[in-house]
Amino acid sequence: MTSVMGSIEKTKLPDEALLQKYLQGGHYTDCYSTRTKRAITHSQFVIAFYTTMLFRFERFILKWAVGKPSTDEEVEQLAGARRDSFAAWDVEGRADNQLLLSDYRGRTRSWLMVSPASGEQTRLYFGSAVVRHQDDDEKKPGLGFGLLLRFHKLYSIALLYCAKQRLELVT
């Protein structure tokens, strides 16, 4: 594990992660994790993650750029397994402690998971995958992909950090 942004670590994807199939399929995958000071449910994590100010900005962009609006009520429904789509994503997989979403174009995946840690702490995980399609097989990722990937990594760290901060302030 490599520590980044204080308490956020670049982490190996857990064996039980729903995102594992993309790692094994040779697609780009990443995984970041952090520990909270108290026990956190998966539902609390999903709500905190998608309602941070940083993610609200992304939701605003999705509303205006691709016509995919969303509300906090929809986030709560997603977290409570009463909804299978949210903004630009559809649920691809669920377990009691994790959620895997696919973007509406099928090109990326977002994954959230919680796991008990020592004492009352909880480990929060956030990961993603960029899915290669058959027509991508002969193409090598270009400079644009590399630049976007750098931004994506920093943004992923910031999203997880903001969710953790929100959970520690609210709960």
Side-chain angles (χ1 to χ4, degrees):
M1 288 190 242
T2 307
S3 180
V4 287
M5 192 178 245
S7 62
I8 308 299
E9 302 170 322
K10 185 167 176 49
T11 311
K12 179 182 175 252
L13 197 60
D15 292 339
E16 70 276 17
L18 294 173
L19 196 61
Q20 243 336 306
K21 66 181 174 182
Y22 294 102
L23 176 65
Q24 295 168 356
H27 307 281
Y28 169 81
T29 59
D30 59 30
C31 179
Y32 297 93
S33 72
T34 189
R35 286 180 191 242
T36 62
K37 295 177 183 174
R38 58 183 61 87
I40 301 295
T41 67
H42 186 259
S43 180
Q44 288 172 317
F45 180 36
V46 171
I47 292 168
F49 189 90
Y50 289 119
T51 60
T52 63
M53 288 305 292
L54 184 58
F55 204 89
R56 284 177 196 265
F57 183 66
E58 181 173 341
R59 287 169 50 191
F60 175 80
I61 291 170
L62 290 169
K63 176 181 177 180
W64 293 105
V66 293
K68 301 285 185 181
S70 60
T71 66
D72 287 353
E73 182 179 346
E74 291 172 343
V75 172
E76 290 177 17
Q77 292 168 353
L78 178 73
R82 296 183 315 276
R83 180 176 201 85
D84 288 330
S85 64
F86 165 70
W89 298 275
D90 293 313
V91 173
E92 181 176 313
R94 282 187 196 273
D96 288 340
N97 67 334
Q98 52 185 312
L99 177 67
L100 178 62
L101 300 172
S102 172
D103 79 274
Y104 71 102
R105 293 177 39 213
R107 301 292 291 195
T108 62
R109 303 298 186 272
S110 295
W111 166 78
L112 298 170
M113 183 174 118
V114 297
S115 178
S118 61
E120 289 293 310
Q121 297 180 350
T122 302
R123 182 160 291 279
L124 308 174
Y125 292 91
F126 172 55
S128 19
V130 178
V131 180
R132 293 182 59 115
H133 288 263
Q134 289 181 350
D135 59 338
D136 294 342
D137 286 343
E138 296 185 23
K139 298 178 193 174
K140 291 188 178 184
L143 177 62
F145 179 80
L147 293 173
L148 283 174
L149 190 57
R150 285 189 194 127
F151 170 77
H152 166 77
K153 289 176 182 180
L154 292 172
Y155 185 57
S156 295
I157 292 164
L159 284 170
L160 185 54
Y161 181 81
C162 289
K164 177 185 177 180
Q165 295 301 107
R166 184 174 180 87
L167 285 165
E168 290 185 343
L169 290 173
V170 173
T171 56

